Amino acid sequence: MTAEALSGCPVLHSADEPRLDFGGTTPYEDYVHAATLHDLQRPVTDEPLERSFLVVTQVMELYFGLLAFDLKYARDRLAEDDVRSATAALRRCVLHVKALRAAWLPIARMTPREFNAFRDALGEGSGFQSAAYRHVEFLLGEKSASMLVPHRSVPAQHAELARALAEPGVYDAALALLARRGHGVPDDVLNRDLTRPYTPSPAVEEVWAKIYATDDGEPVRLGEALTDVAEEFTGWRHDHLMATRRAMGSKPGTGGSAGVSWLEKRARRDLFPELWTARSHV
Ligand code: HEM
């Protein structure tokens, strides 16, 4: 801060310098709410690494919310046959998940001793209880009514997740669009129970195989954007699994699961399954 600013006298600035004097808070603060953000870091121990863990977790939480926003946007544009905007939104999603994966760096190599130094203070808290993450999974087709249970006591959060459970995911919207364009997506797939996880269909595999074999332009670009989202998201799950193995071996999780063996099962699942299996038939 300059001497003038500290003394409270009017501050002169030349045209090519940033403005220094503001009546109240800065416009940056008004837009970003940086003070509020910084106030949200409340570690529960004095371990310096716990602050990294908390900030990384909060950054990831924000990205889960952003990802849900853009996945919904992509789904809604697909429903309006606006494939260009939908594909652009999916491309943004790929970059969000790349950023999510890079965010692991400060905590990816925690040793068990470092993690133990603050682990007990986390109590039963686990990323498993993230409503935003669950919303993302629902939009990616991984539906599960039981995943609403942890959110029963927070009505607004529960209602949002219940809505997402019953609504189409981004892949449902992509298949409905292909059906409108004359591709043979069967009715039982189009009218499936949306509250259940998406299950692979040989007929959908055939649709994608035909699209990829004939290079249909827009549908292939959509298929590739969806495949990129799937690959990066699986990559995040894998990064999480590796960080967990390094930090706690095969101990049970704070959320009550078996830990690594439970995460391994989750990481093996493929998103948008026919986009992977169709490739064997092209
Ligand atoms: C190295 C530190 C971490 C360890 C050791 C760890 C461990 C675990 C374990 C064992 C689970 C299974 C559920 C349980 O019993 O708790 C889990 C789930 C989960 N964790 Fe982490 N975690 C870590 C960091 C993070 C971070 C930074 C995030 C970001 C928000 C996160 C998000 C999640 C999510 C979303 C789930 C649920 C996954 C699913 O439902 O498939 N974790 N974690």
Side-chain angles (χ1 to χ4, degrees):
M1 207 180 266
T2 62
E4 294 93 316
L6 284 170
S7 71
C9 298
V11 181
L12 300 174
H13 68 279
S14 59
D16 59 350
E17 294 288 329
R19 185 171 163 194
L20 299 174
D21 57 328
F22 299 99
T25 53
T26 62
Y28 175 83
E29 177 60 31
D30 295 344
Y31 180 62
V32 177
H33 303 288
T36 307
L37 275 178
H38 291 299
D39 186 48
L40 293 173
Q41 276 99 61
R42 297 173 200 163
V44 288
T45 69
D46 294 329
E47 289 299 324
L49 192 56
E50 194 221 335
R51 186 171 277 263
S52 303
F53 176 81
L54 178 57
V55 172
V56 167
T57 306
Q58 288 176 330
V59 165
M60 287 193 183
E61 184 63 30
L62 289 177
Y63 269 111
F64 295 153
L66 183 56
L67 199 50
F69 176 87
D70 270 329
L71 285 172
K72 256 193 290 183
Y73 186 87
R75 178 199 62 189
D76 295 345
R77 296 298 76 73
L78 287 171
E80 295 165 354
D81 292 295
D82 181 356
V83 183
R84 249 169 84 117
S85 303
T87 306
L90 290 171
R91 293 265 155 243
R92 286 199 295 278
C93 290
V94 174
L95 299 179
H96 300 333
V97 188
K98 280 185 188 291
L100 261 170
R101 295 187 64 184
W104 278 114
L105 283 172
I107 58 164
R109 288 177 167 72
M110 257 189 312
T111 65
R113 188 158 171 261
E114 286 171 326
F115 189 39
N116 285 346
F118 62 88
R119 188 180 187 214
D120 283 349
L122 304 178
E124 288 186 318
S126 166
F128 176 79
Q129 297 142 15
S130 163
Y133 177 84
R134 212 51 72 195
H135 196 161
V136 168
E137 278 202 342
F138 287 180
L139 283 160
L140 294 172
E142 297 202 331
K143 303 287 189 72
S144 161
S146 61
M147 294 300 186
L148 295 183
V149 177
H151 308 284
R152 268 184 312 199
S153 315
V154 187
Q157 221 167 55
H158 187 270
E160 195 183 4
L161 274 182
R163 216 173 14 254
L165 184 75
E167 282 178 356
V170 71
Y171 194 56
D172 297 305
L175 297 182
L177 176 121
L178 294 180
R180 288 196 297 281
R181 293 194 171 186
H183 297 281
V185 180
D187 284 346
D188 62 326
V189 172
L190 296 172
N191 302 319
R192 73 185 194 88
D193 177 357
L194 292 170
T195 65
R196 313 269 314 150
Y198 181 83
T199 48
S201 141
V204 171
E205 182 184 88
E206 211 177 301
V207 165
W208 283 119
K210 257 194 211 141
I211 287 172
Y212 272 80
T214 53
D215 191 17
D216 206 10
E218 210 170 48
V220 169
R221 284 197 293 279
L222 173 63
E224 287 299 274
L226 286 166
T227 307
D228 288 348
V229 171
E231 182 173 331
E232 287 299 333
F233 198 75
T234 302
W236 182 88
R237 284 177 165 160
H238 192 257
D239 300 339
H240 179 241
L241 178 63
M242 289 300 135
T244 304
R245 288 177 70 187
R246 291 180 80 124
M248 55 174 251
S250 60
K251 293 173 210 164
T254 46
S257 81
V260 159
S261 60
W262 186 82
L263 289 174
E264 265 165 352
K265 263 191 278 163
R266 312 272 299 167
R268 270 200 296 274
R269 294 171 309 168
D270 262 339
L271 299 173
F272 320 142
E274 299 91 346
L275 274 167
W276 298 98
T277 57
R279 289 165 203 265
S280 317
H281 309 288
V282 179

